[in-house]
Amino acid sequence: MPCHETVTCPRCHRDFECRVGTILRCQCQEVPLTEDELDFIRQQYHGCLCADCLREMKIAFSESPHGQA
């Protein structure tokens, strides 16, 4: 498996570098997500999202009925 690849974010359609081979250096590690937040995102998108979209989805979750417990 390659250390990284260029993928397209399924939410914003921008290309970004996914470092699944070195996950601790991947851009997604900048956005800490709870299991509930991850489930919320997985229900809507398949594949990796860019860090900007992960941040926006984290906010969307907190503003949703699921995040306002």
Side-chain angles (χ1 to χ4, degrees):
M1 174 178 274
C3 289
H4 63 275
E5 61 183 298
T6 300
V7 297
T8 301
C9 177
R11 184 170 181 266
C12 69
H13 307 289
R14 286 183 285 169
D15 291 338
F16 67 96
E17 189 175 83
C18 178
R19 295 181 179 216
V20 70
T22 53
I23 196 70
L24 294 177
R25 295 182 64 206
C26 190
Q27 52 90 41
C28 65
Q29 296 298 305
E30 300 170 13
V31 186
L33 299 168
T34 66
E35 283 300 317
D36 289 339
E37 291 166 336
L38 285 170
D39 288 342
F40 177 74
I41 294 168
R42 287 180 187 133
Q43 289 172 11
Q44 299 174 63
Y45 299 99
H46 298 287
C48 295
L49 272 62
C50 69
D52 289 338
C53 284
L54 289 174
R55 285 184 198 93
E56 290 172 12
M57 291 300 295
K58 184 177 182 78
I59 292 167
F61 175 79
S62 71
E63 294 172 348
S64 75
H66 303 288
Q68 297 179 358

